[in-house]
Each structure stands twice: as C-alpha cells, then as structure tokens.
C-alpha cells in the first residue's frame, strides 16, 4: 500500500523533476555507488532509487533487470519518509511488506536496507538501498549506507551545478552570437601581422565578405599605409585606442575607431564606423566657421571702410591743396592719411594675433623690470583719477615672450580697465601684479597647455565687472560692450591669441559691481634674460653704399616703391617679377647680388623656395623676405630667414637692409 503523502510532497516532487534525473542515461558515478553498496552489504541487489508520484525509477541498479516498479510496491517509499536508514531484516515478518508482490513473487525480497537521498533543501527524493533474497539477523552497515546516500546527494548537486553552468555557457554563447551577428560595431580577430582570422557581419558589410580566414590583411584597406600601430609592440593583455581611415569595399573612405587588445598572440578588436560622425562634426564646424566668418567679415568691412575713407579722403585733400598751394593743409592731410594707414596695419596685426598667425620675436625677459619700464605708458593710457599700483612677488621667474606684443597686451587691458572704471564713483584702482604659479596636469588639460611652472601677470580693476554672458564671449573677435566708435572688439581677442601663441593661456575673474581681473599665464623659461632688454640696430655708417640688391616682387606698384627707395639710398638694384625669373637673373650676375629682397607669396616659386635655392647657389647672399601674411610656414622656419612684415615704411625697409648688409660686411 502507499502511505499518506507528506505535507511537502508537492515541493518534493518539484525538486525531483527540476533535477532532470528521471529517465536519464546511466552515469558512471551512480553506477559506482551501487557497486560499492552491494560489496559493502554483501547483497545480490543494490539500487539508487528515485520516488516519483506513481513509480520508483532506478537511476543505477545492479542484480535487478527491471528499471522501475509501481510506487505502491516500493520499499523506498517508506524509507524516504524518515530521516534514518530503514532496515527490514525479514520482510515476511513485517506487516508493512508481508503481502507485497515483490516479497511474495519475483524477486522474493527478504532483506532490505535503504538510506534517504536528500537535496540541500531537505527534500528526500530517493534512496541508496541494498536487497537480499535471504533474511538476516542483523545489519551493521547502516552508517556506511548513509555515507553512500550523502555521496549520491553530492553527485546529484554536482550534476545540477554542471547543468546550470552548461546552461549559462549556452546562454552566454547565444548572447555572444547575437552580439557578433547583430551589433553595428565591427569585431575582428587578427594575428600580429594584421591577418584577419575572424570578422563579424558588420566588418564584412564594410570591407567585404571574409571567404577564408587568413586570406585578408587589414593594411590592404588603409588609406595611409603608415598610419597603423605596430601590433607586435602591444603588450600582452594591454588595450589601446586607435583610429584611422580605410577604403571600404565600395571604394568610399571610412573612418574607423578601434580598441585593440592583445591576448596570447592574437589581436581582438572592436571598431566603430565614425564616418557619419566625422562628417557631421565637419559640417557643424563649417557652419560655425561660416557664422564666425560672417561676423568677422562685417567687423572688418566696417573698420577698414572707415580707415579707407580717412586715407582716400585725405589723399584727395592733398591733391586739391597742392593745386592751390596750401602746403600746411597738405602736410596735415598726409599725416592723417598716414595715421589711418597705421591703424589699418594695427588692425591687421590684431587679426593675425587672434588667429595665432603673427610671427613673434620672443626673448627671455624679466617681467618685473618690464612693468617698471612701461608704468608711465600705463598711467598716460588711463587717467589721473585712476591709481596705478604694480605689485610683484620676489624672485619672479623669467619668461620668453615678444616684448612689443606683451606691452601692447598690457596697454590693451589697462585701457579696458579704464573704460570699466569710468562709471565708478570712487576707489578706482588699476592693479598690475606678478607671481609664480605651478599648473598641475588637471588644470593644464583643461586649458590645453603643458603642466609646469608659469608666471601669472594680472591686470585687475575695481570697475563694474562682467556678467557671465559677457565673460563667456570676452575673447570673441569684434564682440564689444562699448558704444559705437569706442572699440573694435579685438582687444581681448588679440591678447588671447598672442598669449596662446606664446604657449600660455588667459583666464578672467569677475564679479558684477566689484571689478574684473584678467590673468595672463606665461610659461617659465630657463633662458637668462638680456642685460637691459634693449634691441639695438647695427650701425649703418659701415654699410657699403655700392652694394647690389635684387628685388623680387610680383606686385608692380610695390616693386616700384621698393626699387625707388633703395636706389634713392644709393644701392644698385636689379628687378625680377617672380621667383623663377629671379633665379634666371641671379645666375647672370657676377659677382652675385649682396642681398635679395623678396616677397613670400608669389606664383611659380614662392619666397621660401627661392631662399632655399639661393642658399645652395650663393651661401654668402643674404635674403630679406617681405610678407603681409605668410601663414604658419613663416613661424615654422624659425630663424632661417629674416622677415619684414607688411605694411612697412621706406625708413623701415632701409633700416633692415642696412642692418643685414652691415652684419655681412
């Protein structure tokens, strides 16, 4: 008969079925258990029996041909209801089993001993049991049988964990397969020579089908074959970012950003096609550039048209007054036209400084001495109502900077401070201070400079201060809060561009109603400042007046001006209208010219290339290059060429020519 089910029977059956043991294939571990049990007990039959709802099924058996019996006949069903080994020495004398078909018929059970197999949660799911067809008087191996039941429980738990692990691995494999197949990122496995071993569909959609591993090399797709990392130099286990351009299967250029990781002689790479992103960024930058260009063009047109009106108008006055003989008015009009031209030149230099395209002449200086020298200029640029105070720490480090540009920057900031303090009622003070500072890596990264030692030059006022919006736009070209005619909006942008070009940066501290401090952070130099810091032109009395000068300029009017200026000064002058004709003419001269004065921006052969050719043909010939704007090449060439920036006056030209020839002599 079947005994009443325990209260946890439902949970027990659920635990049994979750183990997926019923009707499973034989397993060596369980077979070994029954073999040990039979040998231990000395019985012909040993079983690992599992009790299902209506049957008992044998996971392992020895000495019995059937694989299951009805639960109603199962001795083991009685065994799982207790916590100890169930022992029946003679089933014919046990009223629970005397009428059992397994006792009255095959296999004629007389002796039975069964130890419950329990799950970690305490559910008894079956037994390890031994059976004999002969009755016994005693059974001394119950503890050993319990130990075997515990081993069976451990095997079942180990089997369950293995199944879980296999399921997890299978899920992970399916997830990896989904990622490999569905992701838009490129996934690649290659060797240290860049030979592709495996690639996902996203990679193949860009570079074409991978018909055979080892048949494709990544460098074959590179736009620039030198723009690739040395894979064999990547440390094992290290991951590096890498981005470059490739030709896709359709011939289009693709920008791919990779993360490469080396493991055991292979490179595992994940790449993102950033082509669309780069295109969008370029379009955004172009839109911003066009917006800035519109503002810049409007500002330039306004200021230059004003200056041109002054120049043209005064030149017209000169022409009319010459006819009437009014020489006093002629002199005044020429002075005003010259002043307008100088202001136009200054505006151009400010634009170049903002764009960081102005050629600088840096030298090591002591800023403490410089501030003392320019104090009178600052006081004249402000007003008597403003107190100028200069404070300097002891031992301020030297900096290497263009002195003229720095003086202009300080005066610019002083004038801005003066304007900011015009509405203040009292206590107007302009403070210029110097101090040493160390810029750490975090701040350096934020400012886009190198970490290290800097000198902080501060120009601070007690004016009205700036709003947050005004401060954020302070360095924009042509942005000004001053009224019409009172400012171009290039002052702070010029300062910003000049300091950036010098390797430093600019910050602003401001509070509405309290004042503003503009800080110039200039990198420290290890060079020693000059004694008095003055630049002296060489004496000109030793200049050989019979020197020969070649003038190379493609602008006819400008070439005529330069030639006439030099001839009036007593030089022998040869003219050429471009670089190629200059080389031909130079080759005919014997001896060669002492000096070549050449424009930089010319067709066919520019001034830089001409200078390089002349250095080979006649190393003794000096070259003076003229330029209104030579781009970044002028700065990159450093001290190789002497540069005369346009616009220049005849006196400036002669001073430079005299100086070069005197130095040569």
């Amino acid at each position: 008969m079947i005994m009443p089910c325990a209260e946890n029977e439902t949970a027990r059956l659920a635990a049994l079925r979750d183990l997926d043991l019923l009707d499973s294939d034989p397993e060596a571990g369980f077979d070994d258990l029954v073999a040990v049990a039979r040998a231990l007990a000395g019985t012909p039959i040993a079983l690992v029996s599992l009790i299902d709802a209506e049957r008992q099924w044998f996971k392992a058996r020895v000495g019995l041909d059937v694989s299951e019996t009805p639960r109603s006949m199962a001795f083991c069903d009685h065994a799982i209801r207790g916590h100890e080994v169930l022992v029946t020495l003679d089933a014919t004398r046990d009223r629970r089993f005397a009428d059992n078909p397994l006792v009255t018929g095959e296999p004629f059970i007389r002796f039975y001993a069964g130890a419950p197999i329990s799950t970690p949660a305490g559910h008894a799911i079956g037994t390890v049991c031994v059976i004999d067809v002969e009755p016994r008087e005693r059974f001394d191996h119950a503890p050993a049988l319990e130990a075997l039941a515990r081993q069976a429980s451990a095997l079942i738990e180990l089997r369950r964990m293995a199944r879980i692990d296999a399921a997890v691995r299978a899920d992970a494999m399916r997830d990896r397969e989904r990622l490999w197949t569905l992701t838009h990122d490129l996934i690649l496995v290659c060797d240290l020579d860049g030979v592709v071993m495996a690639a996902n569909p996203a990679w193949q959609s860009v570079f074409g089908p991978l018909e055979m591993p080892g048949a494709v090399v990544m460098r074959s797709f590179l736009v620039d074959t030198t723009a690739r990392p040395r894979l064999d130099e990547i440390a094992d286990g290290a991951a590096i970012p890498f981005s470059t351009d490739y030709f896709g299967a359709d011939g289009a250029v693709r920008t791919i950003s990779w993360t490469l990781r080396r493991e055991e002689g292979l490179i595992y790479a994940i790449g993102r096609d950033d082509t669309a992103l780069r295109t969008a960024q370029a379009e955004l930058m172009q839109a911003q550039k066009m917006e800035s260009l519109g503002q810049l063009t409007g500002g330039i047109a306004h200021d230059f048209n004003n200056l041109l009106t002054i120049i043209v108008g005064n030149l017209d006055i000169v022409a009319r007054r010459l006819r009437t003989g009014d020489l006093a008015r002629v002199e005044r009009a020429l002075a005003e036209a010259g002043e307008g031209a100088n202001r136009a030149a200054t505006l151009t230099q400010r634009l170049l400084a903002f764009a960081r395209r102005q050629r600088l002449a840096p030298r090591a200086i002591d800023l403490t001495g410089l501030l003392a020298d320019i104090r009178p200029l600052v006081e004249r640029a402000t007003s008597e109502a403003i107190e100028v105070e200069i404070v300097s720490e002891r031992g301020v480090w030297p900096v290497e900077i263009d002195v003229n540009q720095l003086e202009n920057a300080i005066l610019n900031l002083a004038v801005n401070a003066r304007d900011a303090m015009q509405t203040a009622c009292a206590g107007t003070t302009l403070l210029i201070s110097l101090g040493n500072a160390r810029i750490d890596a975090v701040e350096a990264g934020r400012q886009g400079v190198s970490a290290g030692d800097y000198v902080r030059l501060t120009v601070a006022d007690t004016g009205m201060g700036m709003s947050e919006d005004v401060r954020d736009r302070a360095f924009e070209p042509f942005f000004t809060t001053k009224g019409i005619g009172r400012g171009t909006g290039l002052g702070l942008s010029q300062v910003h561009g000049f300091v950036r070009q010098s390797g430093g940066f600019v910050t602003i501290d401001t509070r509405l109603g309290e004042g503003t401090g503009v800080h110039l952070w200039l990198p420290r130099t290890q060079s020693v400042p000059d004694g008095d810091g003055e630049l002296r032109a060489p004496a000109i009395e030793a200049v050989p007046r019979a020197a020969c000068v070649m003038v190379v300029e493609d602008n006819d009017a400008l070439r005529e001006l330069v030639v006439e200026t030099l001839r009036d000064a007593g030089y022998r002058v040869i003219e050429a209208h471009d670089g190629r004709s200059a080389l031909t003419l130079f080759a005919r001269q014997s001896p060669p010219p002492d000096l070549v004065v050449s424009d930089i921006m010319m067709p066919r052969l520019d001034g830089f290339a001409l200078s390089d050719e002349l250095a080979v043909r006649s190393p003794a010939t000096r070259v003076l290059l003229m330029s209104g704007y030579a781009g970044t090449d002028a700065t990159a060439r450093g001290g190789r060429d002497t540069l005369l920036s346009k616009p220049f006056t005849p006196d400036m030209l002669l001073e430079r020519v005299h100086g070069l020839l005197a130095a040569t002599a």
Side-chain angles (χ1 to χ4, degrees):
M1 66 176 183
I2 299 178
M3 297 179 62
C5 293
E7 292 181 0
N8 64 348
E9 177 67 5
T10 301
R12 189 194 71 80
L13 289 173
L16 172 63
R17 288 164 184 168
D18 284 345
L19 294 172
D20 197 27
L21 277 166
L22 295 169
D23 302 308
S24 61
D25 293 332
E27 296 177 48
F30 295 97
D31 292 341
D32 291 342
L33 275 178
V34 296
V36 171
R38 183 173 73 164
L40 178 71
T43 60
I45 300 172
L47 307 170
V48 172
S49 173
L50 302 175
I51 306 301
D52 198 4
E54 301 293 337
R55 62 171 177 156
Q56 70 169 341
W57 179 80
F58 306 132
K59 172 63 181 172
R61 66 186 190 274
V62 61
L64 191 67
D65 292 333
V66 297
S67 61
E68 64 179 51
T69 68
R71 183 175 179 180
S72 59
M73 301 180 184
F75 282 54
C76 294
D77 186 44
H78 294 264
I80 66 172
R81 298 174 187 274
H83 300 289
E84 298 177 350
V85 177
L86 173 64
V87 178
T88 297
L89 297 175
D90 187 350
T92 59
R93 297 181 179 182
D94 190 325
R95 61 183 181 85
R96 295 172 296 178
F97 306 116
D99 297 329
N100 190 304
L102 299 177
V103 175
T104 60
E106 291 289 339
F108 299 105
I109 297 174
R110 291 294 182 268
F111 168 77
Y112 170 90
I117 299 172
S118 298
T119 67
H123 299 296
I125 58 172
T127 68
V128 175
C129 65
V130 290
I131 297 171
D132 200 345
V133 295
E134 297 292 338
R136 295 201 177 184
E137 293 182 359
R138 56 185 293 176
F139 180 66
D140 298 327
H141 302 295
L145 199 61
E146 285 181 317
L148 292 176
R150 289 194 296 272
Q151 288 298 311
S153 297
L155 277 176
I156 291 171
E157 181 63 15
L158 183 62
R159 184 180 185 276
R160 186 183 72 86
M161 295 301 296
R163 288 177 57 247
I164 291 174
D165 185 57
V168 169
R169 287 200 303 271
D171 288 343
M173 183 63 72
R174 284 192 294 271
D175 290 342
R176 285 196 293 269
E177 183 65 26
R178 291 190 189 99
L179 287 174
W180 179 268
T181 304
L182 300 178
T183 183
H184 294 294
D185 289 340
L186 286 63
I187 304 177
L188 170 71
V189 181
C190 66
D191 65 13
L192 299 183
D193 293 323
V195 177
V196 179
M197 311 305 294
N200 73 331
W203 183 94
Q204 298 184 51
S205 69
V206 173
F207 296 108
L210 185 65
E211 297 178 356
M212 182 182 302
V216 176
V217 183
M218 280 302 297
R219 61 176 172 269
S220 64
F221 301 106
L222 283 168
V223 173
D224 179 2
T225 55
T226 64
R228 63 188 182 95
R230 288 290 304 272
L231 301 180
D232 57 342
E233 294 179 355
I234 300 175
D236 198 49
I240 64 168
F242 166 65
S243 179
T244 192
D245 293 334
Y246 298 86
F247 289 112
D250 57 359
V253 176
R254 303 288 189 94
T255 299
I256 310 295
S257 297
W258 297 99
T259 297
L260 310 178
R261 183 179 179 89
R262 178 175 174 177
E263 293 287 349
E264 298 179 352
L266 291 176
I267 298 296
Y268 297 86
I270 297 178
R272 176 153 296 177
D273 189 342
D274 284 337
T275 307
L277 176 62
R278 294 291 177 87
T279 301
Q281 289 174 336
E283 291 174 351
L284 177 59
M285 291 178 62
Q286 181 65 19
Q288 292 173 337
K289 185 185 297 183
M290 294 306 296
E291 181 181 355
S292 298
L293 183 61
Q295 296 176 357
L296 188 65
T297 303
I300 292 174
H302 176 269
D303 286 325
F304 268 97
N305 283 334
N306 285 345
L307 296 172
L308 288 173
T309 300
I310 293 171
I311 296 169
V312 172
N314 279 287
L315 290 177
D316 183 74
I317 290 174
V318 168
R320 287 188 282 109
R321 291 297 187 264
L322 282 175
R323 287 195 295 268
T324 62
D326 187 357
L327 298 183
R329 184 68 182 95
V330 166
E331 184 176 352
R332 189 166 69 254
L334 285 174
E336 292 178 359
E339 176 64 21
N342 289 335
R343 288 169 60 191
T346 300
L347 180 60
T348 301
Q349 295 304 313
R350 286 180 173 181
L351 288 170
L352 292 176
F354 169 72
R356 302 187 222 171
R357 292 295 186 268
Q358 186 180 31
R359 186 168 181 175
L360 302 179
R363 58 188 175 91
I365 63 167
D366 172 16
L367 288 179
T368 303
L370 175 69
L371 291 185
D373 291 341
I374 69 169
R375 179 170 190 147
L377 293 177
V378 174
E379 290 175 339
R380 284 198 298 271
T382 53
S383 72
E384 295 181 356
I386 297 175
E387 179 183 355
V388 176
E389 183 178 352
I390 296 179
V391 178
S392 177
E393 292 181 2
R394 296 189 56 164
V396 172
W397 296 320
V399 298
E400 192 163 342
I401 201 128
D402 187 306
V403 177
N404 292 331
Q405 290 298 321
L406 181 59
E407 289 177 350
N408 287 338
I410 295 172
L411 290 174
N412 247 319
L413 296 176
V415 170
N416 283 349
R418 176 202 66 190
D419 294 343
M421 292 188 289
Q422 282 182 345
T423 57
C425 299
T428 52
T429 301
L430 174 65
L431 173 65
I432 304 177
S433 64
L434 286 174
N436 297 331
R438 173 76 185 178
I439 301 300
D440 60 25
V442 175
E443 179 65 16
R446 188 159 42 240
Q447 299 296 341
V449 296
S450 299
D453 293 335
Y454 286 75
V455 175
R456 185 193 66 253
L457 191 160
T458 299
V459 179
D461 62 60
T462 55
M464 298 305 296
M466 303 179 188
S467 67
E468 187 174 342
D469 291 342
V470 171
R471 183 188 61 186
D472 291 342
R473 300 187 62 191
F475 298 131
E476 290 184 16
F478 297 107
F479 173 75
T480 180
T481 58
K482 300 177 182 179
I484 297 176
R486 296 189 58 207
T488 63
L490 280 173
L492 277 177
S493 64
Q494 176 194 13
V495 172
H496 180 267
F498 155 66
V499 173
R500 278 291 186 185
Q501 192 176 358
S502 302
F505 61 98
V506 184
T507 59
I508 297 177
D509 291 329
T510 185
R511 288 190 179 213
L512 280 175
E514 297 183 16
T516 298
V518 180
H519 310 286
L520 313 186
W521 303 84
L522 307 173
R524 177 186 184 181
T525 182
Q526 300 301 323
S527 300
V528 178
D530 298 335
D532 58 8
E534 293 296 326
L535 292 175
R536 294 185 174 85
I540 64 174
E541 49 269 25
V543 173
R545 289 292 181 178
C548 178
V549 180
M550 173 181 283
V551 176
V552 188
E553 171 61 67
D554 59 318
N555 184 295
D556 295 337
L558 181 54
R559 186 175 67 253
E560 182 180 350
L561 171 64
V562 173
V563 168
E564 185 176 350
T565 299
L566 293 174
R567 282 176 176 163
D568 288 348
Y571 291 103
R572 185 163 58 91
V573 181
I574 304 170
E575 300 181 53
H577 63 274
D578 62 27
R580 287 293 180 195
S581 61
L583 286 177
T584 302
L585 189 59
F586 188 91
R588 298 173 184 168
Q589 308 303 311
S590 181
D594 302 286
L595 176 69
V596 174
V597 179
S598 173
D599 189 22
I600 292 180
M601 306 296 286
M602 295 184 299
R604 301 177 65 194
L605 188 73
D606 66 25
F608 291 137
L610 175 61
S611 176
D612 292 339
E613 287 281 350
L614 295 178
V616 175
R617 300 186 183 196
S618 178
T621 299
R622 302 298 298 271
V623 178
L624 173 62
L625 296 177
M626 305 177 293
S627 176
Y629 168 59
T632 56
D633 291 340
T635 302
R637 291 174 70 93
R640 289 179 55 190
D641 302 300
T642 301
L643 183 68
L644 178 61
S645 296
K646 301 175 184 177
F648 53 80
T649 64
D651 286 344
M652 293 168 63
L653 170 66
L654 289 175
E655 181 182 356
R656 192 62 63 86
V657 170
H658 291 343
L660 287 173
L661 290 174
T664 303

